[in-house]
Amino acid sequence: MADEKQMDSRDFYLFEKIDYTEFPVLRVGPGPSKIQQGDKMIFVGDKKREEQHAILFSSPINCQNSTGNLTFTYWVYNSARVEVILLEDDGRGGYKMIFDDPAEEKPYVDCGTIQLNTECHAEIPPRDKPFRIGIRAYEISNTDGSFVMIDNILYSSSLCKVGIDLGENFKSTPLETGAVGKPIKSATDLKCDSFDAKCRWRSGGDAMVMWRRSGSVLPNDLLLNATGTTVGPRGGYGVLYVEQGTQKKSLDILRSDPITCQSLTENELSFRFWEFGQIELEACAVDLMLKDIECIPIPRGQSPANVNLTFRKATKNFMITIRVSSLNSDFDNMVIVDDIAYRATLCTDALSAFDIGDSFVSTPMLSLLLNRNVHTSQDLSCDFSKRASGCLWGMLNQEDDATEIAANTWAVGHGPLNDEKLYSLTGTAETPDGEFGVARFETGGNAVLLSEVVRCALNNVHVQFRLWTTGSAKIKVCLVEESSPSLLDCQDASSGDVVVDLPRIRRPFRVAFAAEAEDQGMVLIDDIVVTGQICPPTTAKQFSSKTFRPTADIPDPNVCRLLSCDFHLGHACLYESSQVSNSAMHGVGNGKLNAFLTRTKRVFILESPQFRLNTVARLHFDYKLTGDANLFICNDSGTKELESCFKVEGRQGNDYIELLASDTKVYIISRLSETGKSGSLEFSKIVFTDTSDQAIC
């Protein structure tokens, strides 16, 4: 086109042959005289006496490392002429001819000596600086008219490798993430917006051109040319730079950690991307041998907005890859990926806020608030073993007056739990050990677990515990005044290892775990550890409040008289034999109870009288088993029969069972093993003691 800086005086125009008339051979040449109807050329001409000229500019060539060959067909009329020139930017918005510099090598131009069917040929020397090629029509100066027509322009050359201008401050580093090939536990594990140690995407490896990480800000001009906007990646992102001449097979892939199993009902991969040059992407689901399951092309037009893709065929043992599907290796190319997210229902995902494994069960917590003394902070530690029977934690009694903290019930959970389901609900990889505290909410509500009264907190008192929450459930650690049921000074806690610092408190208080939910959810806590200095209890005063029953450290002697038995009177004292189907016969003599088990009489049950304890106690007994008989001691808490049974592992000797304040009956059960044929139980000397094994009666 014509230049606006007065390097030429005329413009080229598009010329189209619309008839079959041939050019006069001797007057218009040296191009062919016969031109097909509809052929197009470019034309410049005039009838002025003053010499006119026009230049047709090429697009810029940044660098070429070999001699370039330019050919074109041309026609001139009435002494008009054509030449080939080279130009470069003059720094003021225009161009200047390179011929003006004597140090520059000029192109060799041969436009033919025979003025018939002759092409113009020019050889352009190698150059390491940007330049343009110009075809110049000149000496157009005849009042009868003169012109130049040009057609069939061809140029061939080996261009230098010129990089994409990423700005002076652009830096990149090898892509090192947290992906190690371990299967994901949740679809959210594949979220990657910084390409750091938390990212579960990595380089595919074994490639000449590898994915890298950068956090550099890209020039606005570069973004604008690529996407039409100046929106670029934020923070860390993945970048693959492909130099000219690189083949697709040499390129790295970006791959996720494996997905073991997912439902076909719903999945969505989303990410943002930028493509620079002539390069295209695709996202593929591949098996663990990197063989394609299905591939989806990435629509270039959506950049830089999120692209959302769904896989229809991949369900088990697969990975997701983002890779180059095609590129023009004549140029440098680059692709950037950021803000990867994945949404899917994995086979291990929990189906509800309560789905933490088929083995999960919960049983009532056996510990009660009995105003037991708290001598040191360590006394408040609790791992919930034996259904929290040894813990100085409990709940308000249901029959007590309603208060702010009267609530649903805390229970003791038993596993093992499904760690993948628990992770999908809580985002925490660890699971509780053994038994643990659990508060379950079907339709919302609250549940409060309280400690026994602490006289005061002096220095560096900390409450540590492990926490898991599901659904809408959440928990706060609060302080409760001894004389008031109101929750005070609460601190929120979130899933994981929790440490709560208690302030210095000079008056009696309780620690409360206050769980609540708007609808469905669960709170799981385990391994409560309390450290620091607290005030020891005083012996002159016992603490009581209207919402907690008074206690004594010595078990009730009346219970002792109910449960102790030496069988010396020829009967089982206040114990009775429970008559059930296939019940074995028994007898009492010589201070012993004997039961005989056979294939038809496989079980014997001895039931204690009902009792009501005021504190923890022990029930000791002597026993002897023969044959295929086994012995079990079972508790009845009064809320559910035979809540727990403890198998006596030995064959004879002395053993005991701990009785909790919530227990109301004891059952002594002997039965044959599944394949057993016969056996017997010998039982004697039932003795009731405190937890120090001191006799009470």
Side-chain angles (χ1 to χ4, degrees):
M1 295 182 64
D3 180 65
E4 298 179 358
K5 301 296 182 180
Q6 302 303 316
M7 291 193 68
D8 51 13
S9 58
R10 303 296 298 167
D11 288 332
F12 278 97
Y13 292 89
L14 182 65
F15 175 85
E16 181 178 0
K17 188 75 163 56
I18 61 173
D19 58 25
Y20 296 99
T21 304
E22 297 183 6
F23 295 148
V25 176
L26 298 179
R27 301 182 64 186
V28 178
S33 59
K34 189 174 181 178
I35 303 298
Q36 295 292 327
Q37 185 183 23
D39 280 359
K40 294 182 175 63
M41 296 153 280
I42 55 173
F43 172 93
V44 61
D46 209 336
K47 292 183 177 182
K48 294 180 180 178
R49 186 179 300 277
E50 297 82 5
E51 196 264 346
Q52 305 295 315
H53 48 273
I55 301 175
L56 182 68
F57 298 96
S58 73
S59 295
I61 301 172
N62 288 326
C63 174
Q64 71 180 33
N65 52 21
S66 68
T67 299
N69 291 291
L70 172 71
T71 60
F72 58 89
T73 304
Y74 72 100
W75 296 262
V76 294
Y77 174 63
N78 274 352
S79 302
R81 300 181 65 182
V82 173
E83 67 176 348
V84 176
I85 62 175
L86 302 182
L87 305 103
E88 63 183 5
D89 294 344
D90 63 6
R92 300 187 299 274
Y95 311 110
K96 65 179 180 179
M97 290 187 186
I98 296 176
F99 294 156
D100 296 341
D101 187 347
E104 295 283 356
E105 182 180 355
K106 298 178 174 58
Y108 168 78
V109 180
D110 178 10
C111 289
T113 56
I114 300 174
Q115 298 296 306
L116 184 63
N117 295 331
T118 301
E119 289 183 331
C120 188
H121 171 244
E123 295 181 355
I124 311 299
R127 287 185 57 82
D128 59 2
K129 298 178 182 178
F131 70 100
R132 296 174 185 262
I133 301 173
I135 299 177
R136 182 172 181 265
Y138 65 104
E139 292 191 6
I140 302 172
S141 57
N142 193 306
T143 55
D144 291 332
S146 59
F147 63 80
V148 173
M149 288 191 299
I150 297 173
D151 196 9
N152 301 324
I153 302 173
L154 297 174
Y155 186 66
S156 62
S157 179
S158 175
L159 302 181
C160 304
K161 294 181 179 180
V162 179
I164 299 171
D165 183 9
L166 301 176
E168 295 180 358
N169 298 321
F170 182 84
K171 295 180 180 178
S172 68
T173 57
L175 183 60
E176 298 178 1
T177 65
V180 294
K182 184 178 180 181
I184 63 171
K185 291 186 175 182
S186 170
T188 57
D189 289 351
L190 294 186
K191 177 180 176 62
C192 183
D193 54 12
S194 296
F195 286 82
D196 53 14
K198 297 179 180 179
C199 180
R200 299 290 295 273
W201 293 77
R202 59 174 168 150
S203 168
D206 193 25
M208 293 178 60
V209 181
M210 305 289 288
W211 280 89
R212 297 174 66 84
R213 180 188 186 276
S214 179
S216 301
V217 178
L218 299 176
N220 286 342
D221 290 346
L222 177 67
L223 295 168
L224 193 62
N225 289 334
T227 66
T229 76
T230 57
V231 176
R234 300 182 297 266
Y237 52 85
V239 56
L240 182 70
Y241 192 100
V242 185
E243 293 186 349
Q244 176 187 345
T246 304
Q247 300 302 310
K248 190 180 78 168
K249 64 182 180 181
S250 302
L251 302 182
D252 190 15
I253 62 173
L254 188 64
R255 61 172 169 170
S256 73
D257 271 344
I259 301 169
T260 302
C261 179
Q262 75 174 25
S263 169
L264 273 178
T265 56
E266 184 180 14
N267 68 81
E268 183 179 77
L269 172 70
S270 68
F271 59 92
R272 296 197 302 155
F273 70 101
W274 292 259
E275 294 173 344
F276 304 89
Q278 299 180 21
I279 189 169
E280 294 181 355
L281 289 176
E282 63 182 356
C284 297
V286 300
D287 65 20
L288 301 186
M289 299 299 292
L290 297 178
K291 294 181 180 179
D292 292 351
I293 299 174
E294 61 177 313
C295 291
I296 304 172
I298 308 302
R300 184 185 184 109
Q302 283 193 241
S303 175
N306 277 349
V307 61
N308 301 303
L309 310 171
T310 297
F311 296 105
R312 303 295 184 186
K313 300 178 181 179
T315 56
K316 292 184 178 180
N317 297 320
F318 70 97
M319 299 178 290
I320 301 173
T321 65
I322 299 173
R323 67 191 187 194
V324 174
S325 59
S326 66
L327 79 159
N328 186 343
S329 59
D330 292 335
F331 306 95
D332 278 17
N333 296 278
M334 184 176 71
V335 62
I336 287 174
V337 170
D338 196 13
D339 297 333
I340 303 176
Y342 190 58
R343 182 172 57 85
T345 301
L346 303 189
C347 299
T348 55
D349 283 352
L351 302 179
S352 72
F354 311 122
D355 183 15
I356 56 177
D358 295 337
S359 300
F360 168 70
V361 294
S362 62
T363 56
M365 188 177 293
L366 296 183
S367 62
L368 294 174
L369 292 175
L370 299 169
N371 279 351
R372 289 164 288 184
N373 291 328
V374 181
H375 298 275
T376 68
S377 58
Q378 289 77 17
D379 291 346
L380 293 178
S381 297
C382 176
D383 63 3
F384 296 94
S385 60
K386 296 183 179 180
R387 293 167 61 188
S389 59
C391 296
L392 301 186
W393 297 80
M395 293 164 292
L396 292 176
N397 297 304
Q398 296 298 317
E399 65 267 22
D400 290 330
D401 295 338
T403 68
E404 177 186 342
I405 57 177
N408 296 324
T409 302
W410 278 86
V412 173
H414 309 260
L417 305 186
N418 185 309
D419 57 347
E420 294 174 328
K421 289 181 179 290
L422 186 63
Y423 178 84
S424 71
L425 290 170
T426 67
T428 302
E430 294 183 351
T431 59
D433 298 325
E435 297 171 277
F436 51 90
V438 57
R440 175 183 175 122
F441 304 97
E442 295 281 355
T443 56
N446 57 78
V448 179
L449 185 65
L450 292 163
S451 74
E452 294 284 12
V453 174
V454 180
R455 291 299 300 153
C456 70
L458 298 177
N459 297 312
N460 301 318
V461 179
H462 310 289
V463 179
Q464 306 174 49
F465 58 98
R466 295 196 295 158
L467 172 65
W468 299 261
T469 59
T470 74
S472 65
K474 55 186 178 180
I475 193 171
K476 296 180 288 187
V477 181
C478 304
L479 300 181
V480 181
E481 288 188 0
E482 177 199 10
S483 58
S484 170
S486 299
L487 299 176
L488 306 173
D489 191 23
C490 292
Q491 299 182 45
D492 293 324
S494 56
S495 292
D497 293 330
V498 182
V499 179
V500 176
D501 299 327
L502 300 187
R504 291 173 62 90
I505 306 173
R506 291 294 186 181
R507 59 185 183 276
F509 69 95
R510 300 177 189 269
V511 181
F513 289 104
E516 61 182 2
E518 294 180 358
D519 41 59
Q520 290 188 339
M522 287 196 301
V523 173
L524 283 62
I525 62 172
D526 197 8
D527 298 330
I528 302 172
V529 176
V530 182
T531 59
Q533 185 179 2
I534 65 171
C535 300
T538 59
T539 58
K541 179 181 177 182
Q542 289 187 345
F543 314 110
S544 63
S545 67
K546 69 173 184 177
T547 56
F548 300 99
R549 292 192 184 95
T551 185
D553 292 331
I554 300 175
D556 189 345
N558 292 320
V559 178
C560 179
R561 286 185 281 273
L562 288 173
L563 298 184
S564 296
C565 184
D566 59 10
F567 301 97
H568 72 282
L569 296 178
H571 58 76
C573 305
L574 298 177
Y575 291 85
E576 294 182 356
S577 172
S578 297
Q579 298 302 314
V580 296
S581 177
N582 300 325
S583 181
M585 302 297 293
H586 77 284
V588 178
N590 300 320
K592 299 175 184 177
L593 179 146
N594 293 278
F596 306 95
L597 310 178
T598 65
R599 286 183 175 179
T600 57
K601 305 292 185 180
R602 304 182 62 86
V603 64
F604 169 73
I605 302 176
L606 190 66
E607 179 181 343
S608 78
Q610 189 168 354
F611 57 86
R612 186 178 181 87
L613 269 175
N614 60 333
T615 188
V616 180
R618 289 179 178 177
L619 196 64
H620 297 257
F621 52 88
D622 290 348
Y623 71 99
K624 180 179 179 181
L625 296 168
T626 64
D628 301 316
N630 294 313
L631 177 61
F632 300 86
I633 310 297
C634 305
N635 301 64
D636 179 353
S637 71
T639 59
K640 183 179 180 182
E641 286 194 3
L642 303 184
E643 285 196 349
S644 62
C645 292
F646 300 94
K647 182 179 180 181
V648 179
E649 298 295 340
R651 303 302 293 174
Q652 69 177 21
N654 179 271
D655 208 337
Y656 71 89
I657 182 175
E658 281 207 348
L659 301 178
L660 307 175
S662 56
D663 290 338
T664 59
K665 272 194 177 185
V666 174
Y667 295 84
I668 300 162
I669 302 176
S670 182
R671 66 184 181 191
L672 288 182
S673 60
E674 287 189 16
T675 59
K677 297 180 180 180
S678 64
S680 67
L681 165 69
E682 182 181 287
F683 207 79
S684 61
K685 292 184 181 178
I686 302 176
V687 179
F688 183 81
T689 72
D690 62 16
T691 54
S692 300
D693 296 331
Q694 299 297 315
I696 303 303
C697 59

